[in-house]
Amino acid sequence: MSAVTESKPADGRCHACGCAGPNPGSERLDADEARKRHAELPANLWALDVDAGKLTRQFTAKNFALAMEFLNACGAVAEAPDVQHHPDLHLTRYRDVEVVLWTHAASGLTAYDFTLAEKLSAVGTTCSPKWARE
């Protein structure tokens, strides 16, 4: 794994979002390192777009309540004191869920995105039976 360097504003807050987490401003990973880190994630859970510098997890939840439960659980993981790194969370058509990871301050993927992906991989949900078959 490549070394992660941080460049924080004088008050230690993230340049992008203003959070006081431990991870703002870290070094963007090159394409090879991103592919290597992606291969270490659970198979078929996260899609890697090296060109856009983003990791994405998508699924259709069984219903709206389960979609919201999943999103709230992701929020709790992101807000944990040892994480403080926030995903882009999307809910469309009442149960289609998308989680997008990238570091705004680095304009791409950093080690922190893959660490968060590992933690979010443990957040389970119940998918639509039709989606699960596809």
Side-chain angles (χ1 to χ4, degrees):
M1 179 167 61
S2 66
V4 175
T5 59
E6 295 183 352
S7 71
K8 301 178 185 176
D11 69 354
R13 295 195 174 273
C14 175
H15 292 284
C17 68
C19 75
N23 53 13
S26 63
E27 179 182 299
R28 183 177 175 157
L29 299 176
D30 65 31
D32 290 338
E33 183 65 21
R35 286 185 191 97
K36 178 180 167 236
R37 295 290 305 266
H38 179 250
E40 296 169 359
L41 294 173
N44 302 318
L45 199 58
W46 294 94
L48 172 65
D49 184 338
V50 174
D51 294 330
K54 296 181 180 181
L55 275 174
T56 306
R57 179 178 176 183
Q58 296 178 314
F59 64 92
T60 299
K62 186 173 181 182
N63 56 45
F64 177 78
L66 290 170
M68 290 303 301
E69 183 179 298
F70 174 84
L71 293 173
N72 286 325
C74 288
V77 169
E79 281 291 299
D82 66 328
V83 178
Q84 289 296 303
H85 191 61
H86 304 96
D88 290 338
L89 302 172
H90 305 274
L91 176 64
T92 56
R93 294 176 25 157
Y94 82 90
R95 62 188 184 134
D96 290 341
V97 175
E98 180 181 44
V99 179
V100 182
L101 302 178
W102 67 296
T103 300
H104 298 87
S107 298
L109 291 166
T110 66
Y112 297 108
D113 297 301
F114 288 94
T115 299
L116 181 56
E118 290 169 13
K119 291 179 182 291
L120 294 178
S121 294
V123 177
T125 192
T126 302
C127 294
S128 160
K130 179 183 177 196
W131 186 88
R133 284 192 302 270
E134 295 174 355

